[in-house]
Amino acid sequence: MRRFNHKATAALMSVVLMASALIGCGMAAEKTAVSTEVTNEVYEANAANKAKTVSNGTPKYIFLFIGDGMSYPQIQSASYYLGAKSSTGGDVTGGEALSFMNFPTAGSAQTYDSTSFCPDSASTATSISTGHKTYSGVINMDTTKTVAYETVAEKLKSQLGYKIGILTTVNLNHATPAAFYAHQASRNNYYEIAQELVASGFDYFAGGGLLKPTGVNKDLPSIYDVAEEAGYTVVTTQAEIEAVTADTGKVIAIDEHLADSSAMAYEVDREDGQWQLADYVEKGIDVLDNDTGFFMMVEGGKIDWACHANDAAATINDTIAFDRAVQKAYAFYEEHPAETLILVTGDHETGGMTIGYAGTNYDTFLKNLENQTISFAKFDTDYVASYKENNTPFEQVLADIQENFGFVAPENAAQAKAEELVLTDYEVEKLKTAYKRTLKVGTSTQSEMTQEEYELYGTYEPLSVTITHIMNNKAGVSFTSYSHTGLPVPVFAIGNGSSLFEGYYDNTDIYNKLATLTSIK
């Protein structure tokens, strides 16, 4: 039996570890017992397929996974966190690899766009989807905003007859999913983007709800009604989604348990039994599977949102959930190794996430991050909203922080689950200052903050972001930005044509390589 390609894995890990020395992070409290490991036996059993699948004609089944805001730091911190969480001793034993970290092919893609070295999701997804650079905020149009580009998904459907699926944990008309079916001068044209979603005729949309489904002024026909008139079955409950089959026809599946901004809940907030991204991928395979072929784009969109808010716990939880979705595709690959291609990448990095913090020197305490049991967004809605309304005493705020994050005040040090979770006097004062700022009116825009306040809090609730900053730092993790950064992103590949994705290249070449493999014009 031919052994797994350890040379490729070693090359990948050296790149990952070098990047992580500069940039990385850690945490996640997993909601299910699903393993994130793909065993060596599995890969050894499939290693022999690599030689015969790397260039065996056009891949019939193509999965493109995009972790929004996900680069080496998010991936490595999730791996290290899992390793720290499972470790029983005090020694560093390394991480537990996410499944795609073991894929036999690994590359890197640079992400700059026509605006900046720190690009946005619209332009970077455009590059991946069409092979063209454009300005930040523009979806599948050139820099004059007059020429539209046809996407890889549109070409695979029109030229090869593939079925198409678009999945995301955020809104279906958000920038990254929109970049596979829409053509707009502004990513904020949500109603027009949703109109193009319906007009695309794609076969399976699943995930978060549509933004502005009745237009900016809420006076236009609901896109959901427009979709049904166009022949789509729109399902909005988990029971309805579970009942969807390949015979249902074209489907728009909206998660029943929507959270902030009509997106799916953060993984750390998801309750047992509620569908996660992996479930939508599995259902999508059932809906799309056919003899001609399919293309499925799957976005882990809330990795990005969590990084914007500098919430390492939510970030890593969603990265692990993203990996579980990849595992569903890998299970399909096992059944169709010569016909399937799986790509896993990011569109850009968000937050400047780093494994390492000045206050902990060379130490990290990633395991302590499992004490955070709520995302910043849910803490805002479930707690901070009430604080503002009732002017809650700070003592009660500290009690809620202890319950949801594990921190204890210095006078209650004996109650701490770990000594690192005891707040210092300095940290208590930071929380007090942030809480006072939260109680003031007008904390949501940069223009209403001083420079010092913006650098401390961004546009987030000062209390919530200060809590997550303290949590991150006590774990030995930090962020440099509330925005995107200019880091390259990894590209992992397995299956038919995967060897094309080795090396260091531009993100436009992801499209170019797919075009070469599929011979789309």
Side-chain angles (χ1 to χ4, degrees), residues 189-246:
N189 295 341
Y190 293 116
Y191 191 82
E192 292 80 5
I193 290 171
Q195 287 178 310
E196 290 199 73
L197 179 153
V198 175
S200 72
F202 289 178
D203 304 273
Y204 178 68
F205 291 94
L210 295 170
L211 288 169
K212 302 189 184 303
T214 55
V216 175
N217 298 318
K218 301 182 180 180
D219 57 352
L220 296 173
S222 170
I223 290 296
Y224 296 116
D225 294 336
V226 173
E228 288 182 336
E229 292 173 3
Y232 278 93
T233 297
V234 179
V235 291
T236 58
T237 70
Q238 193 162 306
E240 291 175 330
I241 296 168
E242 289 172 352
V244 166
T245 69

Side-chain angles (χ1 to χ4, degrees), residues 129-162:
S129 180
T130 71
H132 294 282
K133 297 287 187 182
T134 192
Y135 289 139
S136 292
V138 177
I139 294 176
N140 295 330
M141 300 191 76
D142 71 351
T143 53
T144 70
K145 301 180 182 180
T146 60
V147 177
Y149 300 129
E150 191 176 10
T151 74
V152 63
E154 291 173 311
K155 291 180 179 181
L156 288 171
K157 187 169 186 64
S158 64
Q159 296 179 27
L160 301 185
Y162 281 21

Side-chain angles (χ1 to χ4, degrees), residues 177-379:
F180 288 83
Y181 62 79
H183 318 79
Q184 294 289 327
S186 172
R187 60 180 287 171
N188 296 323
N189 295 341
Y190 293 116
Y191 191 82
E192 292 80 5
I193 290 171
Q195 287 178 310
E196 290 199 73
L197 179 153
V198 175
S200 72
F202 289 178
D203 304 273
Y204 178 68
F205 291 94
L210 295 170
L211 288 169
K212 302 189 184 303
T214 55
V216 175
N217 298 318
K218 301 182 180 180
D219 57 352
L220 296 173
S222 170
I223 290 296
Y224 296 116
D225 294 336
V226 173
E228 288 182 336
E229 292 173 3
Y232 278 93
T233 297
V234 179
V235 291
T236 58
T237 70
Q238 193 162 306
E240 291 175 330
I241 296 168
E242 289 172 352
V244 166
T245 69
D247 296 328
T248 304
K250 296 183 296 183
V251 175
I252 297 176
I254 306 298
D255 188 79
E256 180 178 355
H257 307 286
L258 297 179
D260 49 318
S261 300
S262 296
M264 290 175 62
Y266 284 101
E267 178 65 14
V268 70
D269 300 325
R270 184 176 61 84
E271 296 181 6
D272 292 338
Q274 292 181 359
W275 269 33
Q276 57 182 307
L277 186 60
D279 296 305
Y280 287 103
V281 171
E282 188 171 35
K283 177 62 68 173
I285 292 171
D286 291 341
V287 171
L288 298 175
D289 194 8
N290 69 99
D291 292 336
T292 300
F294 65 73
F295 171 87
M296 185 189 297
M297 192 290 296
V298 183
E299 182 200 21
K302 298 196 80 171
I303 298 171
D304 172 75
W305 290 17
C307 285
H308 274 293
N310 293 179
D311 187 339
T315 296
I316 295 175
N317 271 313
D318 269 62
T319 302
I320 293 170
F322 178 76
D323 180 57
R324 289 198 291 267
V326 174
Q327 290 181 47
K328 296 296 184 181
Y330 184 81
F332 181 86
Y333 160 82
E334 287 187 282
E335 298 176 359
H336 310 274
E339 301 173 305
T340 304
L341 171 65
I342 305 174
L343 301 175
V344 181
T345 189
D347 51 357
H348 52 74
E349 196 276 339
T350 300
M353 200 178 187
T354 309
I355 301 175
Y357 171 62
T360 58
N361 299 310
Y362 291 95
D363 293 327
T364 58
F365 307 96
L366 302 183
K367 184 178 175 63
N368 286 334
L369 290 167
E370 65 183 332
N371 291 285
Q372 181 177 337
T373 59
I374 191 171
S375 71
F376 76 95
K378 189 169 176 60
F379 189 76

